[in-house]
């Protein structure tokens, strides 16, 4: 007769660890994820070239990691990536809402849960045994990115169509302030990407799931 604790442990493992046939990330999520990665890289590199044309901080970005070759070329790359980022984000958000994934994956979320998971991470006790479930820090990070992309697109539109969209421009505090908002919103997005890549390096089994779905 099997030991009850063994049965309990097997049941817990079965519920917490998906088998190889379990779909972790649906196709639409994987496609939007990788398109978003392309858009962010192109926007960042072309944006750095645009920044170099009129820097407002005491440094410039090395030309070797910028895209476009000159201001006009960088703007063309930037606008193309902007539309990709915006359209891709709308598809991602719509699919999350329609499938109710947004509510199941990212909520509930409380400051207490975030602080608790941060403390667990520093102690090396934050596990990621089930890639289908996000901890509180992951939930907060993904929600931050969703909002940050909105800020990026709106501030970018205020810069691109500054004359046509004066209310949006003034909402951000004028043209020069809008430049800073746009720049630091991109810094926030790149900071997320850096942490995201670090987490993938620490938990490499999450990468195949984002490629194959399992």
């Amino acid at each position: 007769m099997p030991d009850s604790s063994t049965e309990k442990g097997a049941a817990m493992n079965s519920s917490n660890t998906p088998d190889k046939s379990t779909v972790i990330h649906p196709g639409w999520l994987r496609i939007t994820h990788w398109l978003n990665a392309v858009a962010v890289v192109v926007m960042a590199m072309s944006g750095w070239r645009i920044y170099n044309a009129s820097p407002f901080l005491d440094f410039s970005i090395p030309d070797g990691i910028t895209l476009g070759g000159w201001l006009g070329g960088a703007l063309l790359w930037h606008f193309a990536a902007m539309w990709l980022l915006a359209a891709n984000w709308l598809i991602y958000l719509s699919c999350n809402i329609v499938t109710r994934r947004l509510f199941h994956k990212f909520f509930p979320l409380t400051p207490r849960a975030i602080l608790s998971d941060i403390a667990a991470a520093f102690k090396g006790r934050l596990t990621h045994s089930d890639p289908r479930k996000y901890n509180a820090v992951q939930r907060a990070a993904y929600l931050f990115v969703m909002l940050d992309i909105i800020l990026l697109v709106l501030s970018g539109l205020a810069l691109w169509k500054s004359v046509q969209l004066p209310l949006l421009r003034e909402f951000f505090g004028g043209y020069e302030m809008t430049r800073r908002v746009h720049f630091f919103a991109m810094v926030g997005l790149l900071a997320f990407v850096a942490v995201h890549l670090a987490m993938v390096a620490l938990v490499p089994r999450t990468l195949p799931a984002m490629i194959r779905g399992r």
Side-chain angles (χ1 to χ4, degrees):
M1 182 175 181
D3 182 71
S4 60
S5 63
T6 302
E7 289 181 344
K8 183 178 180 181
M12 289 180 64
N13 183 66
S14 176
S15 62
N16 291 335
T17 304
D19 58 43
K20 293 182 179 181
S21 64
T22 301
V23 176
I24 298 173
H25 301 306
W28 62 264
L29 178 65
R30 303 196 307 274
I31 292 171
T32 54
H33 173 274
W34 293 112
L35 287 176
N36 195 64
V38 172
V40 168
V41 170
V42 174
M43 281 201 72
M45 295 179 67
S46 58
W48 291 336
R49 172 67 69 170
I50 296 168
Y51 165 82
N52 282 349
S54 181
F56 53 81
L57 296 173
D58 293 332
F59 65 86
S60 295
I61 309 296
D63 288 340
I65 59 172
T66 65
L67 179 66
W70 61 298
L71 179 58
L75 286 168
L76 291 175
W77 278 105
H78 206 67
F79 292 149
M82 176 194 74
W83 290 116
L84 175 60
L85 183 73
N88 193 58
W89 179 88
L90 284 174
I91 294 171
Y92 171 82
L93 183 61
S94 298
C95 289
N96 266 293
I97 293 174
V98 169
T99 62
R100 298 191 64 79
R101 182 180 182 275
L102 179 68
F103 310 102
H104 294 314
K105 288 286 188 180
F106 303 112
F107 296 99
L109 181 64
T110 64
R112 183 176 181 179
I114 296 172
L115 292 174
S116 176
D117 278 356
I118 290 175
F122 278 114
K123 295 176 183 177
R125 298 175 182 173
L126 187 63
T127 63
H128 194 62
S129 58
D130 188 351
R132 296 170 298 178
K133 298 179 181 179
Y134 295 151
N135 58 54
V137 175
Q138 287 176 301
R139 294 178 183 185
Y142 285 122
L143 289 172
F144 162 78
V145 167
M146 293 182 202
L147 296 174
D148 191 56
I149 289 177
I150 294 175
L151 185 61
L152 269 172
V153 172
L154 291 179
S155 59
L157 286 173
L159 292 173
W160 180 34
K161 298 293 185 180
S162 182
V163 175
Q164 294 89 338
L165 300 172
L167 293 179
L168 185 59
R169 181 194 66 222
E170 293 307 314
F171 172 80
F172 288 113
Y175 186 84
E176 284 301 320
M177 183 57 68
T178 305
R179 288 186 66 206
R180 287 157 175 77
V181 170
H182 192 67
F183 181 86
F184 287 110
M186 178 57 73
V187 170
L189 182 56
L190 292 178
F192 166 81
V193 171
V195 174
H196 186 59
L197 291 176
M199 292 299 100
V200 171
L202 291 173
V203 191
R205 67 176 179 274
T206 59
L207 182 59
M210 189 53 74
I211 297 173
R212 301 193 305 264
R214 294 175 171 83

